[in-house]
Amino acid sequence: MRTLKCLLLMCCVLGVYVFPVFAAEGIKFDFHGQMLQVVGSTNNSLSLAGKHKSGPTDFFSYDGRLNSKGFETKYMDYLNSVGTTFGLSKARLRFEAQTEDELAKFVYGLEVGTINWGDKEKNFGLSGDGLTQETRFAYAEVQAVQGVIQHIVRAGLQPTNISDWVWSETAAGLTYHGKTSKCNWMTGWYRGDENAKSNNTDNNYFVLKTDGEVSSNLNVGFFFIYEDSGAETTESDHYTTTHTYDRINSYLGLTANLKQDSFFANFELIYQYGDIRFVGDSTNIENLERGAYLMNLDMGIQVNKKLKLSFNSLYASGDDNPNDQDADNFDAIDVDVKVGMILFKDSLTSSCDRFVSDAPYLLDKGLIHHALMAEYKPDKKHKFFSAIRYLSTAKDVADDKSFIGTELDFKYAYKYNKYVSLHFESACLIPGEASDLMTADGKNADTIVNVSTGIKFKF
């Protein structure tokens, strides 16, 4: 530890002398950061489990089985669980070095992923000295301007931002971006979960995206993603046997954004198709054909400068037959969806990676979400938000039951100064008939209540 402190001190001393030299050579520096400190309480600790991940999981049914990637037991348990009080810390730092002519940029992002206060394994316990850093960004960017067109090329670990419902998280790759004042486009190649030694498996993603103004009030976009994934192994809590498969997925997406006076509407339609092929010792299992879709509509009105009312309707298709050769359920690549504070990632607590699902579905049953929302800003310091949500699976969990429940959300934020905001949030999920089927002990599901307060520091 003493050696590490000495190294840090030397870096700081050298930085005092070296940074001005770099600046004199034509390099500009920028530094950004964000920190969250959250304290909360819940009567259901498994609502913070965070194991239903869109990124590392494929949900599909085959030959009467469910590929659940180890989440199935937690999924069946989360509606009956004991309470807990928690403290969470999360921090991100981003460093940028740009040439003075603004034609090249170096970006590095450092993150301390969310840690529970007292987590001894991650050195957040007594006498804590957490060794918890991870790299979020590490990419180089060069650009050129030709007339009205700006060309940008990025290489390395970078944001994707393809779609909020398919792929919005970071990935390593090579991308080209072009833009004018009225149109944007990009294409790219990303690598998925590669074998670190061989680096020759088929985990490749090819992307094409464009959007532009149709009129002063309407913007329309299109995107296409082709995914070619290498061999993976199925997992299930109810079956000891595993099977090897690979997959080819494609996504076609259409987006439209309309703003007319105080009215706004955003629409997205995504069709997913492809194959799940069983290989090796699993060749006796029939392959699956993927055919799924997602539709999302946001619309609302800015009543006045203080009040905004909005409505959301989301449908992500699910699979209703585990014995056929069709995978009808929508499956995202890597996203953080905001369609609820209890189950999904639309809260201060879930921003600290404590949630049930970060994908727009539950297992292979899809999702239906309807919400009425209101946002009220009486002045520059205060902001209130409330919502009532209807949540259901797109296909029945069992016994013709799909209604997950009704959720009530409330948020309050106080702008302390330019960089700091204070938050209080609460949410309640009143379970429905489908939730009663998802409890491990067969009893009626409990109402879930989460309450949290925290501070956000952003610069």
Short mmCIF file of all heavy atoms in Angstrom, two decimals, residues 119-182:
data_model
loop_
_atom_site.label_atom_id
_atom_site.label_comp_id
_atom_site.label_asym_id
_atom_site.label_seq_id
_atom_site.Cartn_x
_atom_site.Cartn_y
_atom_site.Cartn_z
N ASP A 119 -19.05 -4.25 2.08
CA ASP A 119 -18.70 -5.42 1.28
C ASP A 119 -17.24 -5.78 1.52
O ASP A 119 -16.33 -5.16 0.97
CB ASP A 119 -18.96 -5.13 -0.20
CG ASP A 119 -18.84 -6.38 -1.07
OD1 ASP A 119 -18.12 -7.32 -0.67
OD2 ASP A 119 -19.45 -6.41 -2.15
N LYS A 120 -17.01 -6.80 2.32
CA LYS A 120 -15.66 -7.16 2.71
C LYS A 120 -14.86 -7.71 1.53
O LYS A 120 -13.65 -7.46 1.40
CB LYS A 120 -15.71 -8.20 3.83
CG LYS A 120 -14.36 -8.55 4.43
CD LYS A 120 -14.52 -9.51 5.60
CE LYS A 120 -13.15 -9.85 6.20
NZ LYS A 120 -13.29 -10.79 7.34
N GLU A 121 -15.52 -8.47 0.63
CA GLU A 121 -14.82 -9.06 -0.50
C GLU A 121 -14.22 -8.00 -1.41
O GLU A 121 -13.19 -8.22 -2.05
CB GLU A 121 -15.77 -9.96 -1.29
CG GLU A 121 -16.17 -11.23 -0.54
CD GLU A 121 -17.02 -12.14 -1.40
OE1 GLU A 121 -17.26 -11.78 -2.59
OE2 GLU A 121 -17.45 -13.19 -0.91
N LYS A 122 -14.88 -6.83 -1.50
CA LYS A 122 -14.40 -5.76 -2.37
C LYS A 122 -13.73 -4.64 -1.58
O LYS A 122 -13.59 -3.53 -2.05
CB LYS A 122 -15.54 -5.22 -3.21
CG LYS A 122 -16.10 -6.25 -4.17
CD LYS A 122 -17.14 -5.67 -5.11
CE LYS A 122 -17.62 -6.72 -6.10
NZ LYS A 122 -18.64 -6.19 -7.04
N ASN A 123 -13.34 -4.95 -0.36
CA ASN A 123 -12.61 -4.00 0.49
C ASN A 123 -13.39 -2.72 0.75
O ASN A 123 -12.82 -1.62 0.77
CB ASN A 123 -11.23 -3.67 -0.12
CG ASN A 123 -10.29 -4.86 -0.08
OD1 ASN A 123 -10.32 -5.66 0.86
ND2 ASN A 123 -9.49 -5.02 -1.11
N PHE A 124 -14.70 -2.85 0.92
CA PHE A 124 -15.51 -1.72 1.34
C PHE A 124 -16.00 -1.92 2.77
O PHE A 124 -17.01 -1.36 3.18
CB PHE A 124 -16.72 -1.55 0.40
CG PHE A 124 -16.60 -0.34 -0.50
CD1 PHE A 124 -15.55 -0.19 -1.37
CD2 PHE A 124 -17.56 0.66 -0.46
CE1 PHE A 124 -15.44 0.91 -2.20
CE2 PHE A 124 -17.47 1.77 -1.28
CZ PHE A 124 -16.40 1.90 -2.16
N GLY A 125 -15.28 -2.75 3.51
CA GLY A 125 -15.63 -3.01 4.90
C GLY A 125 -14.85 -2.10 5.83
O GLY A 125 -14.40 -1.01 5.46
N LEU A 126 -14.67 -2.54 7.08
CA LEU A 126 -13.92 -1.75 8.04
C LEU A 126 -12.47 -1.60 7.58
O LEU A 126 -11.87 -2.54 7.06
CB LEU A 126 -13.97 -2.43 9.42
CG LEU A 126 -15.37 -2.60 10.02
CD1 LEU A 126 -15.28 -3.30 11.38
CD2 LEU A 126 -16.08 -1.26 10.17
N SER A 127 -11.94 -0.41 7.74
CA SER A 127 -10.60 -0.08 7.24
C SER A 127 -10.51 -0.32 5.74
O SER A 127 -9.50 -0.77 5.21
CB SER A 127 -9.52 -0.88 7.96
OG SER A 127 -9.55 -0.62 9.35
N GLY A 128 -11.61 -0.02 5.06
CA GLY A 128 -11.71 -0.32 3.63
C GLY A 128 -10.74 0.48 2.79
O GLY A 128 -10.46 1.64 3.04
N ASP A 129 -10.20 -0.18 1.78
CA ASP A 129 -9.35 0.47 0.77
C ASP A 129 -9.65 -0.24 -0.53
O ASP A 129 -8.88 -1.05 -1.02
CB ASP A 129 -7.88 0.34 1.17
CG ASP A 129 -6.97 1.14 0.24
OD1 ASP A 129 -7.52 1.91 -0.57
OD2 ASP A 129 -5.76 0.98 0.32
N GLY A 130 -10.83 0.06 -1.08
CA GLY A 130 -11.39 -0.73 -2.17
C GLY A 130 -10.54 -0.77 -3.42
O GLY A 130 -10.14 0.27 -3.95
N LEU A 131 -10.26 -1.97 -3.91
CA LEU A 131 -9.59 -2.17 -5.19
C LEU A 131 -10.67 -2.60 -6.18
O LEU A 131 -10.86 -3.77 -6.46
CB LEU A 131 -8.49 -3.23 -5.06
CG LEU A 131 -7.43 -2.94 -3.99
CD1 LEU A 131 -6.44 -4.09 -3.90
CD2 LEU A 131 -6.70 -1.64 -4.30
N THR A 132 -11.40 -1.63 -6.70
CA THR A 132 -12.64 -1.93 -7.43
C THR A 132 -12.72 -1.26 -8.79
O THR A 132 -13.78 -1.23 -9.39
CB THR A 132 -13.84 -1.45 -6.59
OG1 THR A 132 -13.67 -0.06 -6.27
CG2 THR A 132 -13.95 -2.23 -5.30
N GLN A 133 -11.63 -0.75 -9.31
CA GLN A 133 -11.67 0.02 -10.56
C GLN A 133 -11.87 -0.89 -11.77
O GLN A 133 -11.36 -2.01 -11.82
CB GLN A 133 -10.40 0.84 -10.74
CG GLN A 133 -10.23 1.98 -9.77
CD GLN A 133 -9.62 1.55 -8.46
OE1 GLN A 133 -9.29 0.38 -8.29
NE2 GLN A 133 -9.46 2.49 -7.54
N GLU A 134 -12.59 -0.38 -12.76
CA GLU A 134 -12.74 -1.06 -14.03
C GLU A 134 -12.73 -0.02 -15.14
O GLU A 134 -13.03 1.15 -14.92
CB GLU A 134 -14.04 -1.86 -14.06
CG GLU A 134 -15.28 -1.02 -13.82
CD GLU A 134 -16.53 -1.87 -13.70
OE1 GLU A 134 -16.81 -2.36 -12.61
OE2 GLU A 134 -17.23 -2.02 -14.72
N THR A 135 -12.39 -0.45 -16.34
CA THR A 135 -12.33 0.45 -17.48
C THR A 135 -13.69 0.47 -18.19
O THR A 135 -14.21 -0.58 -18.56
CB THR A 135 -11.25 0.00 -18.47
OG1 THR A 135 -9.98 0.08 -17.81
CG2 THR A 135 -11.23 0.89 -19.69
N ARG A 136 -14.25 1.66 -18.38
CA ARG A 136 -15.53 1.81 -19.07
C ARG A 136 -15.31 2.26 -20.52
O ARG A 136 -15.99 1.78 -21.42
CB ARG A 136 -16.42 2.81 -18.34
CG ARG A 136 -17.76 3.03 -19.02
CD ARG A 136 -18.75 3.74 -18.14
NE ARG A 136 -19.99 4.05 -18.84
CZ ARG A 136 -20.96 3.18 -19.08
NH1 ARG A 136 -20.83 1.93 -18.66
NH2 ARG A 136 -22.05 3.53 -19.71
N PHE A 137 -14.38 3.20 -20.74
CA PHE A 137 -14.06 3.66 -22.09
C PHE A 137 -12.56 3.58 -22.30
O PHE A 137 -11.78 3.85 -21.38
CB PHE A 137 -14.49 5.11 -22.32
CG PHE A 137 -15.97 5.35 -22.21
CD1 PHE A 137 -16.48 6.19 -21.24
CD2 PHE A 137 -16.86 4.75 -23.08
CE1 PHE A 137 -17.83 6.44 -21.13
CE2 PHE A 137 -18.21 4.98 -22.99
CZ PHE A 137 -18.71 5.82 -22.01
N ALA A 138 -12.16 3.25 -23.51
CA ALA A 138 -10.76 3.32 -23.91
C ALA A 138 -10.73 3.32 -25.44
O ALA A 138 -10.64 2.27 -26.08
CB ALA A 138 -9.97 2.14 -23.36
N TYR A 139 -10.85 4.53 -26.01
CA TYR A 139 -10.89 4.59 -27.47
C TYR A 139 -10.19 5.85 -27.99
O TYR A 139 -10.04 6.85 -27.28
CB TYR A 139 -12.32 4.52 -27.99
CG TYR A 139 -13.23 5.69 -27.67
CD1 TYR A 139 -13.34 6.77 -28.54
CD2 TYR A 139 -14.01 5.69 -26.52
CE1 TYR A 139 -14.19 7.83 -28.27
CE2 TYR A 139 -14.87 6.74 -26.24
CZ TYR A 139 -14.96 7.81 -27.12
OH TYR A 139 -15.80 8.86 -26.84
N ALA A 140 -9.77 5.73 -29.25
CA ALA A 140 -9.19 6.87 -29.97
C ALA A 140 -10.17 7.32 -31.04
O ALA A 140 -10.92 6.51 -31.60
CB ALA A 140 -7.86 6.47 -30.60
N GLU A 141 -10.15 8.61 -31.33
CA GLU A 141 -11.07 9.18 -32.32
C GLU A 141 -10.32 10.15 -33.20
O GLU A 141 -9.58 11.00 -32.71
CB GLU A 141 -12.22 9.88 -31.59
CG GLU A 141 -13.19 10.61 -32.50
CD GLU A 141 -14.28 11.33 -31.73
OE1 GLU A 141 -15.03 10.65 -31.00
OE2 GLU A 141 -14.36 12.57 -31.83
N VAL A 142 -10.54 10.04 -34.50
CA VAL A 142 -10.01 11.03 -35.45
C VAL A 142 -11.16 11.51 -36.32
O VAL A 142 -12.13 10.78 -36.55
CB VAL A 142 -8.89 10.44 -36.33
CG1 VAL A 142 -7.67 10.08 -35.49
CG2 VAL A 142 -9.38 9.21 -37.11
N GLN A 143 -11.08 12.74 -36.77
CA GLN A 143 -12.16 13.28 -37.59
C GLN A 143 -11.63 14.20 -38.68
O GLN A 143 -10.49 14.69 -38.60
CB GLN A 143 -13.18 14.02 -36.72
CG GLN A 143 -12.64 15.22 -35.97
CD GLN A 143 -13.76 15.96 -35.25
OE1 GLN A 143 -14.58 16.63 -35.87
NE2 GLN A 143 -13.79 15.82 -33.92
N ALA A 144 -12.47 14.38 -39.67
CA ALA A 144 -12.14 15.28 -40.78
C ALA A 144 -13.43 15.93 -41.26
O ALA A 144 -14.51 15.35 -41.14
CB ALA A 144 -11.47 14.52 -41.92
N VAL A 145 -13.32 17.13 -41.80
CA VAL A 145 -14.47 17.87 -42.31
C VAL A 145 -14.29 18.11 -43.79
O VAL A 145 -13.26 18.62 -44.23
CB VAL A 145 -14.66 19.19 -41.56
CG1 VAL A 145 -15.84 19.96 -42.14
CG2 VAL A 145 -14.86 18.96 -40.07
N GLN A 146 -15.31 17.69 -44.56
CA GLN A 146 -15.32 17.94 -46.00
C GLN A 146 -16.60 18.68 -46.35
O GLN A 146 -17.68 18.11 -46.33
CB GLN A 146 -15.25 16.62 -46.78
CG GLN A 146 -13.91 15.91 -46.69
CD GLN A 146 -13.91 14.64 -47.52
OE1 GLN A 146 -14.83 13.85 -47.46
NE2 GLN A 146 -12.86 14.46 -48.31
N GLY A 147 -16.49 19.94 -46.60
CA GLY A 147 -17.67 20.74 -46.88
C GLY A 147 -18.59 20.78 -45.68
O GLY A 147 -18.19 21.19 -44.59
N VAL A 148 -19.83 20.31 -45.84
CA VAL A 148 -20.80 20.31 -44.74
C VAL A 148 -20.82 18.98 -44.00
O VAL A 148 -21.61 18.80 -43.06
CB VAL A 148 -22.21 20.62 -45.27
CG1 VAL A 148 -22.26 22.01 -45.89
CG2 VAL A 148 -22.67 19.56 -46.28
N ILE A 149 -19.96 18.03 -44.39
CA ILE A 149 -19.97 16.69 -43.79
C ILE A 149 -18.81 16.55 -42.82
O ILE A 149 -17.66 16.85 -43.14
CB ILE A 149 -19.87 15.59 -44.86
CG1 ILE A 149 -21.02 15.71 -45.87
CG2 ILE A 149 -19.89 14.22 -44.21
CD1 ILE A 149 -20.95 14.72 -47.00
N GLN A 150 -19.13 16.06 -41.62
CA GLN A 150 -18.12 15.75 -40.61
C GLN A 150 -17.95 14.24 -40.55
O GLN A 150 -18.92 13.50 -40.36
CB GLN A 150 -18.53 16.29 -39.25
CG GLN A 150 -17.49 16.06 -38.16
CD GLN A 150 -17.92 16.59 -36.81
OE1 GLN A 150 -19.09 16.88 -36.60
NE2 GLN A 150 -16.98 16.73 -35.90
N HIS A 151 -16.70 13.77 -40.71
CA HIS A 151 -16.39 12.34 -40.67
C HIS A 151 -15.64 12.04 -39.37
O HIS A 151 -14.68 12.73 -39.02
CB HIS A 151 -15.52 11.94 -41.85
CG HIS A 151 -16.09 12.30 -43.18
ND1 HIS A 151 -17.01 11.53 -43.83
CD2 HIS A 151 -15.88 13.39 -43.99
CE1 HIS A 151 -17.34 12.09 -44.98
NE2 HIS A 151 -16.67 13.22 -45.10
N ILE A 152 -16.07 10.98 -38.65
CA ILE A 152 -15.45 10.60 -37.39
C ILE A 152 -15.20 9.09 -37.41
O ILE A 152 -16.09 8.31 -37.75
CB ILE A 152 -16.33 10.97 -36.19
CG1 ILE A 152 -16.59 12.47 -36.13
CG2 ILE A 152 -15.69 10.49 -34.88
CD1 ILE A 152 -17.58 12.88 -35.07
N VAL A 153 -14.00 8.68 -37.01
CA VAL A 153 -13.65 7.26 -36.88
C VAL A 153 -13.20 7.01 -35.45
O VAL A 153 -12.37 7.75 -34.92
CB VAL A 153 -12.54 6.85 -37.87
CG1 VAL A 153 -12.15 5.39 -37.64
CG2 VAL A 153 -13.01 7.05 -39.31
N ARG A 154 -13.78 5.98 -34.82
CA ARG A 154 -13.43 5.61 -33.45
C ARG A 154 -12.94 4.16 -33.43
O ARG A 154 -13.50 3.31 -34.11
CB ARG A 154 -14.63 5.75 -32.51
CG ARG A 154 -15.08 7.17 -32.29
CD ARG A 154 -16.31 7.20 -31.41
NE ARG A 154 -16.84 8.55 -31.31
CZ ARG A 154 -18.10 8.84 -31.04
NH1 ARG A 154 -18.98 7.85 -30.85
NH2 ARG A 154 -18.51 10.09 -30.95
N ALA A 155 -11.96 3.89 -32.58
CA ALA A 155 -11.44 2.54 -32.41
C ALA A 155 -11.20 2.28 -30.94
O ALA A 155 -10.59 3.09 -30.24
CB ALA A 155 -10.14 2.36 -33.20
N GLY A 156 -11.71 1.13 -30.45
CA GLY A 156 -11.52 0.76 -29.06
C GLY A 156 -12.83 0.57 -28.32
O GLY A 156 -13.90 0.44 -28.93
N LEU A 157 -12.77 0.56 -27.00
CA LEU A 157 -13.94 0.37 -26.15
C LEU A 157 -14.72 1.67 -26.08
O LEU A 157 -14.26 2.65 -25.51
CB LEU A 157 -13.49 -0.06 -24.75
CG LEU A 157 -14.59 -0.39 -23.74
CD1 LEU A 157 -15.44 -1.55 -24.22
CD2 LEU A 157 -13.97 -0.70 -22.39
N GLN A 158 -15.94 1.69 -26.65
CA GLN A 158 -16.66 2.92 -26.89
C GLN A 158 -18.16 2.73 -26.67
O GLN A 158 -18.65 1.60 -26.61
CB GLN A 158 -16.43 3.38 -28.33
CG GLN A 158 -16.84 2.35 -29.36
CD GLN A 158 -16.46 2.73 -30.77
OE1 GLN A 158 -17.08 3.60 -31.37
NE2 GLN A 158 -15.43 2.06 -31.32
N PRO A 159 -18.92 3.82 -26.55
CA PRO A 159 -20.38 3.68 -26.44
C PRO A 159 -20.97 3.22 -27.77
O PRO A 159 -20.46 3.56 -28.83
CB PRO A 159 -20.84 5.10 -26.09
CG PRO A 159 -19.76 6.00 -26.61
CD PRO A 159 -18.49 5.23 -26.45
N THR A 160 -22.06 2.42 -27.69
CA THR A 160 -22.72 1.96 -28.91
C THR A 160 -23.90 2.89 -29.26
O THR A 160 -23.98 3.39 -30.36
CB THR A 160 -23.22 0.52 -28.74
OG1 THR A 160 -24.09 0.43 -27.60
CG2 THR A 160 -22.04 -0.42 -28.58
N ASN A 161 -24.84 3.06 -28.33
CA ASN A 161 -25.99 3.96 -28.53
C ASN A 161 -26.76 3.63 -29.81
O ASN A 161 -27.16 4.53 -30.55
CB ASN A 161 -25.55 5.43 -28.55
CG ASN A 161 -24.95 5.87 -27.23
OD1 ASN A 161 -25.36 5.38 -26.18
ND2 ASN A 161 -23.98 6.76 -27.27
N ILE A 162 -26.96 2.35 -30.07
CA ILE A 162 -27.71 1.94 -31.27
C ILE A 162 -29.21 2.07 -31.03
O ILE A 162 -29.94 2.64 -31.83
CB ILE A 162 -27.37 0.49 -31.67
CG1 ILE A 162 -25.85 0.32 -31.79
CG2 ILE A 162 -28.08 0.13 -32.96
CD1 ILE A 162 -25.20 1.19 -32.81
N SER A 163 -29.68 1.52 -29.90
CA SER A 163 -31.10 1.55 -29.56
C SER A 163 -31.25 1.33 -28.06
O SER A 163 -30.55 0.50 -27.48
CB SER A 163 -31.86 0.47 -30.32
OG SER A 163 -33.15 0.26 -29.78
N ASP A 164 -32.18 2.06 -27.45
CA ASP A 164 -32.44 1.88 -26.02
C ASP A 164 -33.02 0.50 -25.72
O ASP A 164 -33.03 0.06 -24.57
CB ASP A 164 -33.42 2.94 -25.52
CG ASP A 164 -32.80 4.33 -25.49
OD1 ASP A 164 -31.56 4.42 -25.45
OD2 ASP A 164 -33.55 5.32 -25.52
N TRP A 165 -33.54 -0.19 -26.75
CA TRP A 165 -34.20 -1.48 -26.53
C TRP A 165 -33.38 -2.66 -27.02
O TRP A 165 -33.72 -3.81 -26.72
CB TRP A 165 -35.56 -1.48 -27.24
CG TRP A 165 -36.38 -0.29 -26.87
CD1 TRP A 165 -36.65 0.80 -27.66
CD2 TRP A 165 -37.01 -0.03 -25.61
NE1 TRP A 165 -37.41 1.71 -26.96
CE2 TRP A 165 -37.65 1.22 -25.71
CE3 TRP A 165 -37.11 -0.74 -24.41
CZ2 TRP A 165 -38.37 1.78 -24.65
CZ3 TRP A 165 -37.82 -0.20 -23.36
CH2 TRP A 165 -38.44 1.05 -23.49
N VAL A 166 -32.31 -2.41 -27.76
CA VAL A 166 -31.48 -3.50 -28.28
C VAL A 166 -30.05 -3.41 -27.75
O VAL A 166 -29.52 -4.37 -27.19
CB VAL A 166 -31.45 -3.51 -29.83
CG1 VAL A 166 -30.57 -4.64 -30.34
CG2 VAL A 166 -32.85 -3.65 -30.39
N TRP A 167 -29.42 -2.24 -27.94
CA TRP A 167 -28.00 -2.14 -27.62
C TRP A 167 -27.65 -0.69 -27.31
O TRP A 167 -27.65 0.16 -28.19
CB TRP A 167 -27.16 -2.63 -28.79
CG TRP A 167 -25.78 -3.06 -28.43
CD1 TRP A 167 -25.21 -3.10 -27.20
CD2 TRP A 167 -24.78 -3.52 -29.34
NE1 TRP A 167 -23.93 -3.56 -27.27
CE2 TRP A 167 -23.64 -3.82 -28.57
CE3 TRP A 167 -24.74 -3.70 -30.71
CZ2 TRP A 167 -22.47 -4.30 -29.14
CZ3 TRP A 167 -23.58 -4.18 -31.29
CH2 TRP A 167 -22.45 -4.48 -30.51
N SER A 168 -27.35 -0.43 -26.05
CA SER A 168 -27.00 0.93 -25.64
C SER A 168 -25.72 1.00 -24.82
O SER A 168 -25.23 2.08 -24.52
CB SER A 168 -28.16 1.55 -24.83
OG SER A 168 -28.43 0.78 -23.67
N GLU A 169 -25.18 -0.15 -24.43
CA GLU A 169 -23.99 -0.18 -23.58
C GLU A 169 -22.70 -0.15 -24.40
O GLU A 169 -22.73 -0.15 -25.63
CB GLU A 169 -24.03 -1.42 -22.67
CG GLU A 169 -24.86 -1.23 -21.41
CD GLU A 169 -24.21 -0.28 -20.42
OE1 GLU A 169 -23.03 0.08 -20.59
OE2 GLU A 169 -24.90 0.10 -19.44
N THR A 170 -21.57 -0.14 -23.72
CA THR A 170 -20.27 -0.03 -24.39
C THR A 170 -19.85 -1.35 -25.02
O THR A 170 -20.27 -2.43 -24.60
CB THR A 170 -19.18 0.41 -23.39
OG1 THR A 170 -19.08 -0.57 -22.34
CG2 THR A 170 -19.52 1.76 -22.79
N ALA A 171 -19.00 -1.25 -26.04
CA ALA A 171 -18.43 -2.44 -26.69
C ALA A 171 -17.15 -2.02 -27.41
O ALA A 171 -16.97 -0.85 -27.77
CB ALA A 171 -19.42 -3.05 -27.68
N ALA A 172 -16.27 -2.98 -27.64
CA ALA A 172 -15.02 -2.70 -28.33
C ALA A 172 -15.19 -2.94 -29.83
O ALA A 172 -15.74 -3.96 -30.25
CB ALA A 172 -13.90 -3.60 -27.80
N GLY A 173 -14.73 -1.96 -30.63
CA GLY A 173 -14.87 -2.12 -32.07
C GLY A 173 -14.29 -0.96 -32.84
O GLY A 173 -13.61 -0.08 -32.29
N LEU A 174 -14.59 -0.97 -34.14
CA LEU A 174 -14.15 0.08 -35.06
C LEU A 174 -15.40 0.64 -35.73
O LEU A 174 -16.17 -0.09 -36.35
CB LEU A 174 -13.21 -0.51 -36.12
CG LEU A 174 -12.73 0.43 -37.22
CD1 LEU A 174 -11.83 1.52 -36.63
CD2 LEU A 174 -11.97 -0.36 -38.30
N THR A 175 -15.62 1.96 -35.61
CA THR A 175 -16.84 2.56 -36.14
C THR A 175 -16.53 3.82 -36.93
O THR A 175 -15.55 4.52 -36.66
CB THR A 175 -17.82 2.92 -34.99
OG1 THR A 175 -17.21 3.87 -34.11
CG2 THR A 175 -18.21 1.69 -34.21
N TYR A 176 -17.41 4.08 -37.89
CA TYR A 176 -17.35 5.32 -38.67
C TYR A 176 -18.67 6.07 -38.49
O TYR A 176 -19.75 5.48 -38.57
CB TYR A 176 -17.13 5.03 -40.16
CG TYR A 176 -17.53 6.19 -41.05
CD1 TYR A 176 -16.75 7.35 -41.12
CD2 TYR A 176 -18.72 6.14 -41.77
CE1 TYR A 176 -17.15 8.42 -41.91
CE2 TYR A 176 -19.11 7.21 -42.57
CZ TYR A 176 -18.33 8.35 -42.62
OH TYR A 176 -18.72 9.41 -43.39
N HIS A 177 -18.59 7.38 -38.23
CA HIS A 177 -19.75 8.23 -38.02
C HIS A 177 -19.68 9.42 -38.97
O HIS A 177 -18.62 10.05 -39.11
CB HIS A 177 -19.81 8.75 -36.57
CG HIS A 177 -19.70 7.67 -35.54
ND1 HIS A 177 -20.77 7.23 -34.81
CD2 HIS A 177 -18.63 6.95 -35.11
CE1 HIS A 177 -20.39 6.28 -33.98
NE2 HIS A 177 -19.08 6.10 -34.14
N GLY A 178 -20.79 9.71 -39.60
CA GLY A 178 -20.87 10.89 -40.45
C GLY A 178 -22.07 11.73 -40.07
O GLY A 178 -23.09 11.19 -39.62
N LYS A 179 -21.97 13.02 -40.24
CA LYS A 179 -23.11 13.86 -39.91
C LYS A 179 -23.05 15.19 -40.63
O LYS A 179 -21.99 15.72 -40.95
CB LYS A 179 -23.22 14.08 -38.40
CG LYS A 179 -22.07 14.80 -37.75
CD LYS A 179 -22.33 14.93 -36.25
CE LYS A 179 -21.21 15.67 -35.53
NZ LYS A 179 -21.49 15.83 -34.10
N THR A 180 -24.25 15.70 -40.88
CA THR A 180 -24.45 17.06 -41.37
C THR A 180 -25.41 17.73 -40.42
O THR A 180 -25.80 17.16 -39.40
CB THR A 180 -25.03 17.05 -42.80
OG1 THR A 180 -26.35 16.51 -42.77
CG2 THR A 180 -24.16 16.22 -43.75
N SER A 181 -25.83 18.90 -40.74
CA SER A 181 -26.76 19.62 -39.85
C SER A 181 -28.13 18.96 -39.78
O SER A 181 -28.87 19.16 -38.83
CB SER A 181 -26.91 21.07 -40.31
OG SER A 181 -27.44 21.13 -41.63
N LYS A 182 -28.47 18.11 -40.79
CA LYS A 182 -29.81 17.51 -40.82
C LYS A 182 -29.82 15.99 -40.89
O LYS A 182 -30.89 15.39 -40.94
CB LYS A 182 -30.60 18.07 -42.00
CG LYS A 182 -30.91 19.56 -41.90
CD LYS A 182 -31.82 20.02 -43.01
CE LYS A 182 -32.17 21.50 -42.85
NZ LYS A 182 -33.12 21.95 -43.91
#
